[in-house]
Amino acid sequence: MTQDRSIIAVTGADRDEFLQGLVTNDIARAKDGLAYAALLTPQGKLIADFFLKGEAERILIDVAADVAPQLFQRLSMYKLRADVALAEADVKVSRGTGPAPEGALPDPRHPDLGWRLYGEASGDDGSDWTAIRVEHLIPEWGSELGPDTYILEAGFERMGGVDFKKGCYVGQEVTARMKHKTELRKGFARVAIEGDAAPGTPITAGEKSVGTLHSRAGDRAIAWLRFDRAQGEMRAGDAALRLCDHSSR
């Protein structure tokens, strides 16, 4: 399945400094490849996750099309007097897990997510992206990620989407406080599932609400859970669930 993506081009002499002060990752990581990053609210919640691709005269932001307008608007709000221009770029995204074509770049979130290629064509090689994401606990905008997401609960540290040494960015204080907690109490986990249950189904353990079911592939799924309550057998509608593992960080 092809993802619907939009590309925002950031140009101008201040583009590196501008983005460095806003996004969760170090812009330097995008110089020779792709960097995975996010823009947060001052309260530390997710506005959008995206890939950054550095080029000679611009930085490309590869973002889900349905959240691109919000991201564009927020970046425009922060621009102020900086020598920065934002524009939609006529660039398409292809991706796959087979042999990488010339110019393709590895997906920085996990090696099994293959490559991404930026050019005149869009598409993919038919890989089962949901199965790959479930296997490696990779959340996606619109399936697991949304405006109530805190990035550490979503596994951004594990996916290389946040840099704790880069300096200030929007939402950094909240993210840093969560980082220094001894243990996250909530986040995404992989569960074994038996029976029918649609994404979005509430998960219970006994009489307690413990989370929500998200993407499923075969007998495994991604679930958002309160870890202190996710004990023993859980239910999502008519389906039985069991915790496999969680590694939100």
Side-chain angles (χ1 to χ4, degrees):
M1 182 177 68
T2 302
Q3 278 187 312
D4 191 7
R5 308 292 291 183
S6 291
I7 306 295
I8 300 171
V10 185
T11 57
D14 297 337
R15 62 187 181 276
D16 286 6
E17 183 180 0
F18 169 70
L19 288 174
Q20 185 75 347
L22 295 176
V23 307
T24 59
N25 213 337
D26 189 344
I27 296 300
R29 297 188 184 187
K31 183 178 180 181
D32 298 314
L34 292 180
Y36 182 54
L39 182 66
L40 310 180
T41 68
Q43 295 75 34
K45 291 190 175 184
L46 185 64
I47 294 174
D49 70 314
F50 41 79
F51 300 95
L52 298 168
K53 180 180 184 289
E55 296 187 343
E57 301 296 332
R58 63 184 182 177
I59 297 173
L60 299 182
I61 302 176
D62 167 6
V63 62
D66 61 353
V67 77
Q70 295 96 299
L71 178 61
F72 193 100
Q73 181 182 42
R74 187 61 67 103
L75 291 173
S76 298
M77 183 184 76
Y78 284 124
K79 191 171 63 169
L80 300 176
R81 296 176 181 173
D83 182 1
V84 169
L86 305 170
E88 293 184 31
D90 187 19
V91 177
K92 303 293 192 301
V93 185
S94 298
R95 61 177 183 161
T97 57
E102 184 178 357
L105 299 169
D107 189 313
R109 296 171 296 173
H110 193 280
D112 285 359
L113 285 168
W115 48 264
R116 302 177 78 85
L117 178 66
Y118 297 85
E120 298 179 353
S122 62
D124 63 49
D125 64 357
S127 297
D128 189 340
W129 301 105
T130 300
I132 295 169
R133 291 197 307 102
V134 170
E135 174 66 23
H136 298 294
L137 202 55
I138 307 292
E140 184 173 83
W141 183 268
S143 295
E144 290 79 28
L145 303 178
D148 290 326
T149 298
Y150 290 103
I151 60 169
L152 294 193
E153 293 181 353
F156 271 60
E157 186 174 2
R158 170 174 48 83
M159 294 185 291
V162 58
D163 188 322
F164 289 101
K165 298 179 180 179
K166 60 158 282 186
C168 295
Y169 56 88
V170 179
Q172 181 211 9
E173 290 185 8
V174 175
T175 306
R177 285 200 300 269
M178 294 184 73
K179 163 70 173 174
H180 295 297
K181 282 185 175 181
T182 55
E183 189 173 358
L184 290 173
R185 294 180 295 174
K186 297 177 285 188
F188 290 113
R190 203 162 60 103
V191 295
I193 179 168
E194 183 177 344
D196 292 328
T201 301
I203 299 172
T204 58
E207 300 299 319
K208 295 180 179 180
S209 173
V210 300
T212 307
L213 188 68
H214 289 279
S215 298
R216 178 176 180 177
D219 62 353
R220 294 290 186 271
I222 297 174
W224 185 89
L225 296 173
R226 288 188 54 170
F227 300 131
D228 59 334
R229 294 183 177 183
Q231 307 294 330
E233 184 175 296
M234 297 172 284
R235 306 289 304 183
D238 295 329
L241 276 64
R242 177 175 49 80
L243 182 65
C244 294
D245 51 45
H246 69 83
S247 53
S248 286
R249 285 186 175 174

